[in-house]
Amino acid sequence: MAKNEERSAVTPRLQGTQHPVLYEVNTRVLLHELSQESGDAMTLADIPDRIVDEWCALGIDAVWLMGVWTTGALGRQLALDTPGLHEEYRRSLPDVTADDILGSPYAVQEYRVAPALGGGKALRALRTRLAKKGIGLILDYVSNHTARDHAWVKQHPEYYVHSDPARNGAQITDGFLAQTAAGELMIAYGRDPMFPGWTDTAQLNVHSKVARAAMVTQLEDIAEVCDGVRCDMAMLLLADVFERTWNDRSARPEDDRAEGEFWREAIGQVTASHPGFMFIAEAYWNREWDLQQLGFNYTYDKTLYDRLLREGASAVRDHLKADMVYQTRSLRFLENHDEERAARMLPSEQWQFAAATVVATVPGMFLLHDGQMEARNVRVPVQLRRRVAEMPNERSRAFYTALLGIIDQPVFRVGAWRMLQLRAAWHDNHTWHNFISYWWHDPVHGDRLVVVNYAPHSGQVYVDVPLDLLEGHLVEFKDLLGGATYTRERLALHAKGMYFDLPGYGIHIFEATAAEK
């Protein structure tokens, strides 16, 4: 397939919705399980049609294949030799063996599809099949660092942060000795400034013009084979963050020092040659808005996740009052490969359903993690290719299937969203504080009302519904999750709002229409 033809595979569903659904798949685990079932080594090209058809039926707009790139022997050896990691492996997989440990997919040796997964040809074949079903393909880009055995370490040490007595006497103490084209150098481990370095990685220097140019070229190559990238720890490359993390240790001669923000330059250059290519940022520390301003289509919303787990409805409502541009470019999640499983963090099944309803029905991108629908309890360390067997929760799967079907409706994809005002059901009843409610409207596709009692006990509330968007003297509310239908008089709704009495973590998603007399 020619490059231009391949780029034309960008899916209309992914580009044509304000509320896309992204499904994260642990690629190594999926192919290992398929290989065990078939008795043959399975590649990306061999993923059965039934799985692609299921993704399509669920309304998935894009699949994020986590962990497709080539990782080196050194990364695997470090994953085998690090004692602390073995404790994590055994907690996840008590019978773990050396064969199960492949190394971190975030210590990338080369941005080529791993041979064990079928290489580039297998990825192209799968991408074509996904595109025929309207599903986009998202892959990882690790912006902050490479594997220690990446070819650049030896051939282009100037791309990295390293000790160089000729430059301010800078010394690296958290790194490794490497034999390079410039001689033996101490190169820094890639790191988050809050923690020690990742010992299987080498820290790229975003202040270097030559490194930056190479990184952008790398991104352009990746853009040839997928529809977007999830950029690992994207905030680490913000100019002020990088400066604080590395200080003078990243100093470069003036003629090699890059100015300005890396992401503005990289996103601008890549999207100029690959229109519609999507950038998703893993982002923390309240730097999401900054990254959005630099061109990211979506940024992780860890704040909503934390508030749903720990702070309650009032904190969630406050967060959802943010600017609508920020809201629509936020990626909402209840779990991902870095977080513990929702079923473990939210021990009540109804609590899981209530939280999932919120993250799936507010504006922005909804990230669904492999195993979340089945309420898996055990998080899989990214270094492993195998996960423990767990009995799927059929109630959970049925709930998510229904929820995904609802948010696949056009009103959620192209409609306008607004928070609704809440009022106490009666004097001294403070349970209304535990409710979250909002409205979706589209003049062609209709209206939806979402009401969640986000507390473990029953509560009562009046919700002010937007009557300016509704016609008729009678309004019919059809519960898309429960099936019940309620009819209310417009005058009564105007006077008091709509009354709700819900059990702990109770949920309603209504279709609101004018009722016949």
Side-chain angles (χ1 to χ4, degrees):
M1 181 183 289
K3 287 184 178 180
N4 288 338
E5 292 175 341
E6 196 168 300
R7 286 205 292 270
S8 70
V10 173
T11 61
R13 278 180 61 95
L14 183 60
Q15 299 299 325
T17 177
Q18 301 176 48
H19 191 226
V21 179
L22 176 63
Y23 186 52
E24 180 187 1
V25 175
N26 187 321
T27 311
R28 295 159 154 186
V29 168
L30 173 62
L31 291 183
H32 178 72
E33 290 179 348
L34 291 173
S35 298
Q36 293 296 107
E37 290 174 12
S38 70
D40 295 316
M42 301 284 275
T43 72
L44 292 169
D46 301 319
I47 292 176
D49 288 340
R50 61 177 171 81
I51 291 180
V52 176
D53 291 344
E54 180 183 343
W55 294 339
C56 182
L58 289 172
I60 303 300
D61 296 291
V63 171
W64 164 20
L65 293 180
M66 191 275 287
V68 304
W69 303 123
T70 298
T71 55
L74 178 58
R76 179 171 186 266
Q77 193 60 51
L78 289 166
L80 284 165
D81 293 345
T82 304
L85 287 177
H86 276 271
E87 295 174 12
E88 183 181 0
Y89 303 154
R90 285 191 293 271
R91 284 195 300 269
S92 168
L93 189 64
D95 62 341
V96 65
T97 69
D99 289 341
D100 296 318
I101 302 169
L102 303 182
S104 172
Y106 293 98
V108 177
Q109 185 192 54
E110 188 176 12
Y111 282 99
R112 293 185 182 276
V113 179
L117 306 183
K121 182 178 180 180
L123 181 71
R124 289 191 295 273
L126 176 60
R127 187 188 181 199
T128 298
R129 291 166 57 206
L130 291 172
K132 287 179 179 178
K133 296 291 185 179
I135 300 172
L137 175 63
I138 305 296
L139 300 178
D140 285 301
Y141 175 60
V142 186
S143 56
N144 185 64
H145 49 263
T146 70
R148 283 170 48 176
D149 49 1
H150 191 289
W152 286 354
V153 172
K154 183 175 182 178
Q155 299 169 7
H156 295 286
E158 67 274 17
Y159 292 0
Y160 295 88
V161 174
H162 56 76
S163 296
D164 188 342
R167 293 176 182 150
N168 303 322
Q171 295 295 316
I172 299 299
T173 58
D174 196 17
F176 62 98
L177 282 173
Q179 298 298 326
T180 77
E184 187 177 77
L185 292 172
M186 177 69 78
I187 293 180
Y189 296 138
R191 64 179 293 231
D192 169 336
M194 308 292 186
F195 300 99
W198 297 296
T199 58
D200 53 354
T201 68
Q203 176 68 50
L204 288 164
N205 184 2
V206 76
H207 279 173
S208 165
K209 285 181 182 178
V210 291
R212 185 176 290 197
M215 292 163 69
V216 173
T217 298
Q218 203 170 54
L219 266 169
E220 289 184 309
D221 290 343
I222 295 170
E224 295 288 349
V225 300
C226 61
D227 301 304
V229 281
R230 178 265 190 188
C231 298
D232 187 66
M233 300 292 282
M235 75 287 178
L236 294 181
L237 268 66
L238 290 170
D240 64 310
V241 173
F242 193 84
E243 189 72 46
R244 285 197 307 271
T245 303
W246 295 106
N247 301 316
D248 62 354
R249 288 175 292 180
S250 65
R252 285 291 180 263
E254 192 170 321
D255 60 355
D256 184 39
R257 188 175 178 87
E259 301 295 337
E261 293 285 357
F262 167 78
W263 287 119
R264 179 178 285 117
E265 177 183 335
I267 293 172
Q269 190 166 323
V270 172
T271 54
S273 57
H274 299 78
F277 192 75
M278 183 172 287
F279 281 83
I280 300 168
E282 181 190 21
Y284 306 104
W285 313 336
N286 296 317
R287 303 309 300 268
E288 297 85 353
W289 176 253
D290 298 323
L291 291 164
Q292 290 179 11
Q293 297 307 295
L294 294 176
F296 275 95
N297 301 90
Y298 296 96
T299 58
Y300 270 39
D301 188 0
K302 180 70 157 51
T303 300
L304 179 61
Y305 170 83
D306 288 337
R307 293 187 177 188
L308 285 166
L309 262 64
R310 302 177 181 91
E311 299 182 38
S314 294
V316 170
R317 289 198 308 272
D318 286 344
H319 182 62
L320 295 176
K321 292 175 184 175
D323 183 272
M324 277 305 299
V325 174
Y326 171 84
Q327 300 279 5
T328 57
R329 294 171 68 178
S330 293
L331 181 148
R332 324 289 193 166
F333 59 88
L334 202 55
E335 63 175 54
N336 59 60
H337 68 262
D338 287 318
E339 307 291 350
E340 288 295 338
R341 289 289 191 178
R344 180 179 292 273
M345 300 300 292
L346 307 175
S348 158
E349 184 176 81
Q350 198 58 38
W351 189 1
Q352 296 166 37
F353 295 169
T357 297
V358 174
V359 297
T361 60
V362 294
M365 175 178 275
F366 171 42
L367 172 64
L368 182 68
H369 185 210
D370 181 27
Q372 184 176 340
M373 290 181 65
E374 295 79 19
R376 278 185 167 267
N377 273 271
V378 181
R379 185 180 72 85
V380 182
V382 294
Q383 295 88 349
L384 301 186
R385 68 169 182 173
R386 185 165 64 93
R387 61 184 175 183
V388 69
E390 294 187 65
M391 184 68 69
N393 183 321
E394 296 301 334
R395 289 189 306 275
S396 179
R397 183 166 185 84
F399 167 79
Y400 273 101
T401 300
L403 181 62
L404 288 166
I406 291 169
I407 65 172
D408 196 31
Q409 296 171 0
V411 63
F412 286 99
R413 293 187 163 273
V414 300
W417 177 92
R418 67 164 79 170
M419 286 278 287
L420 299 180
Q421 292 295 316
L422 309 175
R423 289 180 289 110
W426 59 80
H427 181 65
D428 288 338
N429 182 342
H430 300 293
T431 60
W432 70 272
H433 289 290
N434 299 322
F435 280 80
I436 303 165
S437 185
Y438 39 85
W439 193 274
W440 284 89
H441 169 75
D442 182 78
V444 174
H445 303 295
D447 297 88
R448 302 293 184 270
L449 168 62
V450 179
V451 183
V452 178
N453 175 17
Y454 202 70
H457 49 75
S458 65
Q460 298 77 34
V461 68
Y462 276 106
V463 177
D464 288 340
V465 298
L467 294 174
D468 57 308
L469 302 177
L470 296 170
E471 298 178 353
H473 297 295
L474 298 174
V475 182
E476 183 176 275
F477 294 88
K478 180 181 179 182
D479 189 345
L480 301 178
L481 282 174
T485 299
Y486 306 92
T487 302
R488 296 291 183 266
E489 292 184 351
R490 184 185 187 91
L491 288 176
L493 290 173
H494 184 270
K496 290 187 174 182
M498 191 167 180
Y499 175 75
F500 291 95
D501 183 347
L502 288 180
Y505 298 116
I507 306 161
H508 283 308
I509 303 179
F510 290 111
E511 178 182 13
T513 57
E516 295 182 3
K517 293 183 179 179

